């Protein structure tokens, strides 16, 4: 991998990680369109550490309160009802599905799941699901001529059951094209949470999953399963952090006042375009996948 490739892929990772459009799919597609070797699942997982560090900094006050309160609650019973202690347990509970499925499906994620046709279907199906969920949230917020506004839930109403469902939706991110944030936010909207609450929990939930996956895949960098060396990977990770830091601040402002529909239409258009290009023979479904392992 050249330094230029690392720069471009780091920018793509930073721009797309927090948006509901799938960063892993965009890294895969960027390499295909540019005619580069697939950087591989390990490269993608490690560069996501950069964007997760951006989350750690952006939500540093929330995360510090959650971690310290949860830790103290292990020995101090009086703290176990504290919202921050509860959130600590809810993040752990919500992280279980993707951790288990990630281990069980590791070979599939690094192989068949990188098929461009599956990525395209992921774009379209999750795009439609996000559109339906977003419309439901909008209707609940606005009410109607013959119905009152429906109260949407905030994170202080998050239950263990809802945390598990959030986690199951997040597990769909194992399929490139689904989008970790997109799938988790979609699940949250279906569960009746506000856009901001769904996005905030989605980002908190991503921290253990992404950091765990990234550090686990460090051993694959520079090995026989990909062409990305240590220097290029570290550079791309730093770039993804810088870009991701700017994007997450913008996105959190967006979700508090705007609809997800622009992302929905983007996902559907890109998914259809990929299928058309594959059908026309312009793109090979597994182009470059032999390098990305």
């Amino acid at each position: 991998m050249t330094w230029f490739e690392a720069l471009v892929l780091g920018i793509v990772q930073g721009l797309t990680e927090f948006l509901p459009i799938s960063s892993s799919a965009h890294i895969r597609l960027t390499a295909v369109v540019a005619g580069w070797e697939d950087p591989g699942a390990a490269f993608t997982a490690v560069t996501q550490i950069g964007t997760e560090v951006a989350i750690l900094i952006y939500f540093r006050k929330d995360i510090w309160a959650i971690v310290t309160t949860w830790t103290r609650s292990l020995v101090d019973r009086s703290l176990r009802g504290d919202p921050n202690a509860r959130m600590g347990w809810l993040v752990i509970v919500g992280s279980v599905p993707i951790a288990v499925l990630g281990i069980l499906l590791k070979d599939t994620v690094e192989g068949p799941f990188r098929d461009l046709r599956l990525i395209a279907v992921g774009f379209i199906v999750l795009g439609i699901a996000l559109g339906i969920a977003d419309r439901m949230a909008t209707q609940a917020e606005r009410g109607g001529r013959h119905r009152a506004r429906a109260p949407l839930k905030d994170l202080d109403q998050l239950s263990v059951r809802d945390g598990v469902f959030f986690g199951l939706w997040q597990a769909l991110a194992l399929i490139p094209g689904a989008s970790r944030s997109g799938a988790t936010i979609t699940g949250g909207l279906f569960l009746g949470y506000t856009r901001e609450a769904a996005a905030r929990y989605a980002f908190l939930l991503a921290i253990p999953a992404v950091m765990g996956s990234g550090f686990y895949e460090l051993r694959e960098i520079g090995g026989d399963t990909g062409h990305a060396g240590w220097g290029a990977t570290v550079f791309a990770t730093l770039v993804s952090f810088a870009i991701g830091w700017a994007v997450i601040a913008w996105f959190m402002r967006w979700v508090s006042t705007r609809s997800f529909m622009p992302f929905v239409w983007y996902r559907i258009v890109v998914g259809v375009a990929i299928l058309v290009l594959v059908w026309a023979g312009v793109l090979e479904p597994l182009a470059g996948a032999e390098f990305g392992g």
Side-chain angles (χ1 to χ4, degrees):
M1 176 181 289
T2 67
W3 292 103
F4 178 71
E5 289 177 43
L7 172 64
V8 172
L9 295 177
I11 291 173
V12 171
Q13 167 61 31
L15 285 173
T16 58
E17 172 65 20
F18 304 121
L19 307 183
I21 56 176
S22 181
S23 61
S24 58
H26 276 80
I27 287 180
R28 171 91 171 94
L29 291 170
T30 300
V32 169
V33 172
W36 302 334
E37 297 174 356
D38 183 354
F43 172 85
T44 302
V46 173
T47 55
Q48 286 176 342
I49 293 176
T51 43
E52 289 312 299
V53 171
I55 286 183
L56 290 174
I57 295 176
Y58 186 83
F59 290 114
R60 60 189 179 279
K61 293 181 179 179
D62 291 351
I63 293 170
W64 178 254
I66 291 169
V67 172
T68 55
T69 307
W70 177 82
T71 302
R72 288 186 295 142
S73 73
L74 296 177
V75 294
D76 186 348
R77 290 178 177 273
S78 66
L79 291 174
R80 294 181 184 177
D82 187 284
N84 287 314
R86 286 189 68 254
M87 181 57 69
W89 285 114
L90 289 168
V91 169
I92 293 172
V93 168
S95 300
V96 172
I98 197 169
V100 173
L101 291 173
I103 293 172
L104 295 177
L105 300 175
K106 183 178 186 299
D107 291 339
T108 305
V109 170
E110 295 179 349
F113 277 9
R114 299 184 76 77
D115 188 311
L116 294 179
R117 292 166 296 190
L118 182 59
I119 290 174
V121 171
F123 264 103
I124 296 168
V125 172
L126 260 296
I128 293 172
L130 177 59
I132 295 172
D134 188 69
R135 182 172 178 79
M136 289 172 57
T138 299
Q139 290 177 337
E141 290 170 348
R142 294 178 179 174
R145 179 179 297 179
H146 302 294
R147 66 178 186 279
R149 294 175 57 185
L152 294 174
K153 294 185 283 187
D154 209 341
L155 287 187
D156 58 0
Q157 297 170 273
L158 185 64
S159 64
V160 172
R161 169 187 169 276
D162 286 356
V164 171
F165 276 109
F166 263 106
L168 290 171
W169 277 91
Q170 180 183 232
L172 292 175
L174 293 171
I175 304 173
S179 169
R180 184 187 313 277
S181 62
T184 314
I185 290 171
T186 298
L189 295 179
F190 276 128
L191 289 169
Y193 287 85
T194 66
R195 293 185 182 88
E196 188 173 6
R200 184 174 289 268
Y201 185 57
F203 292 147
L204 292 175
L205 200 58
I207 294 171
V210 173
M211 297 297 274
S213 174
F215 284 112
Y216 179 78
E217 293 289 356
L218 281 174
R219 59 193 177 86
E220 301 289 347
I221 300 300
D224 297 331
T225 57
H227 79 294
W230 273 103
T233 302
V234 171
F235 178 56
T237 302
L238 292 174
V239 172
S240 74
F241 161 73
I243 302 297
W245 166 252
V247 172
I248 188 172
W250 170 83
F251 185 67
M252 290 307 295
R253 288 194 298 270
W254 171 284
V255 298
S256 64
T257 58
R258 308 286 286 275
S259 164
F260 288 118
M261 290 309 297
F263 302 111
V264 170
W265 288 114
Y266 174 82
R267 291 181 62 98
I268 294 173
V269 169
V270 171
V272 171
I274 294 171
L275 290 177
V276 170
L277 291 173
V278 170
W279 175 79
V282 177
L283 294 178
E284 290 293 329
L286 295 176
E290 65 270 19
F291 303 105

